[in-house]
Amino acid sequence: MVPDVSTGSDSRGLIAYLFGPGRRDEHTNPHIVAAWDMTGAPDPGRDPTATYSQLARRLDHHVDLRTRELGGKKPPQHVWHCPVRTAPGDRYLMDTEWAEVARRVVHATGIAPDGDEKACRWIAVRHADDHIHIMATTVRADGRRPRTHHDGQRAQAECRKIEAEFGLRRLKSGDLTAPRTPTGAERAKAQRQGQTVTARHWLRERAYAVAAAVHTEADYFTVLQSLGIKVKTRLGPESGDVIGYSLAALGDTNAAGEPVWYGGSKLAPDLSINRLRERFPDQEKVESPRFAAGPAEPWQHTIAAIQTAHHALDSDDDAAAQGHLAAFGDALYNIASATPGPHRAELRAAASAFNRASRSATRADHQAATALRKAAKELAYAPNQPGGLAIALLFATVHLARAAAKWHEQRGHAQQAAAAEEAFRYLQAGYQQAAAPVLADLAHRAPRAATARRYEQDLQAAFPDHADRILSDPTWTALTTTLARAETAGHNPRRLLAEVGAQRELDSAENPVEVLNWRITAQPNRRTQAARSRSTTSGTSSISATLRPPATPVATRPEERSRYR
């Protein structure tokens, strides 16, 4: 059961909508199911002689009195509106049940507490099977305004109780960190235009993807404009700095032909200008990413940072853990854009789903997750896809998403836990789709039998408790190929198995062979590192030599000259 509280100032217009045909003739049999006074509330739906104006005057009676007291000035936002809708699949409620729902909601929100004879006037209108609209004018009979602080949260809490008592689907409570849902008018507009999503949703997804990839605030606005999105900034009157911004989708206009603007905070709480600045590093020190060391390093850095995030979720520092989850949400957008293939759709869906899990009532320590955020931004500019490393990265994201779901569940973050679980399913599907051909190719390239037997001995020495389970797995052959490649890259297979096994225990792993395979794949090439180290040392020595004074020549003995010759 979902309540949605809002306020306005046009009582007559809202009444006309509630008892009218609706935007698409969807309102059937509109009628009042409950009111502050059923005998005194004329029902336009059941009594055609009672007009909208008569009902509006009865509701606004105390508003008119208060207006005269204020010298002809109406109180601001004096119309309170709260639709209450059952979840899809719920049974249809009778009018008497909806009447009880309405009375409990107005009591819980402070609009009309039980037994308060001077409470606000209100009505509950039903014009569809699955929802009602509660409307009230927020001026009491004594001229005071009601205490409606946190009325949305109180309505949510009361609906959770009603769901349990009425046997309805139990929805998950929010914590005011979810983005605003599109309105009915926005959904209808998207449907008329043949769009699958509303302009608000489209702008929000683009804003998140761009924020995840860019390094500075200026780049954020520049890239949005390059995507055809209109940007309008608001400057401080004294400092001249940007204190807010709004976005508009190309072609999304109102009846007057003007762009429909959405403020950053109206798209999502963490898209406000201040929240965005928390996620950007020190903008004066940002440099363009460089990959002279090799195209594989951004992928290896991201895998290592995701493993660090996994450890952060096991710590007692909730702020640091939440910071890592926020950075992981950004990383998923960049992983989806950097990974080609048919499974990209699954990765994009995972990034969109995990977005809800990337923030909660726990304030994030973004500085704690600097490494993950930096690695993810490097990945957005990585020039090439380095084969199996992309699969290893997907494998790491699958496990972090599952860990995030458990972390949120332990802290009572119901909506975030459900979002992380949904992202886990998308990531798992994408991983399985991408990994199957790669594992098959690795198995096809298996080393000779003698080499495979040597790796069996190394495995038994490294994991005596897991050896039988691993050797009986069909993907063991693929692991022998990965071990052979690692050995060619300068690793000792036995020592490497012990090292990657110590990163995290294998007892709870559903498939320890794949765990070992992708951990080994993510290891850097030691021969390349050694060559790079020698090159760096040689270059340093040559530079140093040019700065030193020339050494005094030493006489060379005849036998030394002969040997060198």
Side-chain angles (χ1 to χ4, degrees), residues 294-314:
E297 286 202 354
W299 299 79
Q300 292 167 336
H301 291 167
T302 307
I303 294 172
I306 286 178
Q307 292 171 346
T308 301
H310 211 298
H311 292 298
L313 296 184
D314 294 334

Side-chain angles (χ1 to χ4, degrees), residues 19 30-47 50 54-55 58-59 95-100 102-103 106 112 120-126 132-135:
F19 291 95
H31 58 279
I32 294 177
V33 294
W36 88 96
D37 179 8
M38 286 297 288
T39 59
D43 189 337
R46 293 199 182 279
D47 183 5
Q54 290 175 334
L55 180 58
R58 292 301 308 276
L59 283 170
D95 279 2
T96 53
E97 292 175 305
W98 276 123
E100 181 180 349
R103 283 189 288 269
V106 295
C120 300
R121 292 185 172 187
W122 60 274
I123 58 172
V125 179
R126 182 180 188 180
I132 60 171
H133 290 258
I134 306 174
M135 173 191 172

Side-chain angles (χ1 to χ4, degrees), residues 459-472:
L459 179 73
Q460 290 169 345
F463 307 112
D465 297 335
H466 300 283
D468 292 340
R469 180 186 176 193
I470 293 175
L471 293 174
S472 61

Side-chain angles (χ1 to χ4, degrees), residues 413-486:
H413 304 161
Q415 291 186 358
Q416 289 86 344
E421 189 67 30
E422 182 182 2
F424 163 76
R425 291 193 293 270
Y426 280 123
L427 289 170
Q428 189 176 47
Y431 162 74
Q432 292 172 348
Q433 187 177 1
V438 176
L439 290 172
D441 182 68
L442 289 174
H444 180 69
R445 300 173 183 272
R448 295 181 301 174
T451 304
R453 284 194 296 271
R454 178 161 57 85
Y455 293 153
E456 289 182 14
Q457 296 172 359
D458 293 335
L459 179 73
Q460 290 169 345
F463 307 112
D465 297 335
H466 300 283
D468 292 340
R469 180 186 176 193
I470 293 175
L471 293 174
S472 61
D473 194 296
T475 54
W476 160 249
T477 308
L479 180 56
T480 61
T481 305
T482 302
L483 285 169
R485 291 179 176 178

Side-chain angles (χ1 to χ4, degrees), residues 294-380:
E297 286 202 354
W299 299 79
Q300 292 167 336
H301 291 167
T302 307
I303 294 172
I306 286 178
Q307 292 171 346
T308 301
H310 211 298
H311 292 298
L313 296 184
D314 294 334
S315 70
D316 295 330
D317 190 346
D318 282 2
Q322 184 63 64
H324 278 89
L325 292 180
F328 180 56
D330 284 356
L332 287 178
Y333 281 101
N334 292 340
I335 292 170
S337 63
T339 306
H343 56 285
R344 175 180 282 183
E346 301 288 347
L347 303 185
R348 286 176 173 169
S352 181
F354 193 84
N355 180 277
R356 181 67 188 96
S358 64
R359 59 188 175 276
S360 69
T362 302
R363 188 65 180 269
D365 180 4
H366 294 291
Q367 296 299 321
T370 300
L372 177 54
R373 199 175 296 279
K374 181 180 178 182
K377 291 182 185 298
E378 288 180 356
L379 189 63

Side-chain angles (χ1 to χ4, degrees), residues 180-192:
R180 291 193 177 188
T181 57
T183 64
E186 292 171 358
R187 291 192 295 268
K189 183 177 182 180
Q191 187 176 7
R192 289 195 306 271

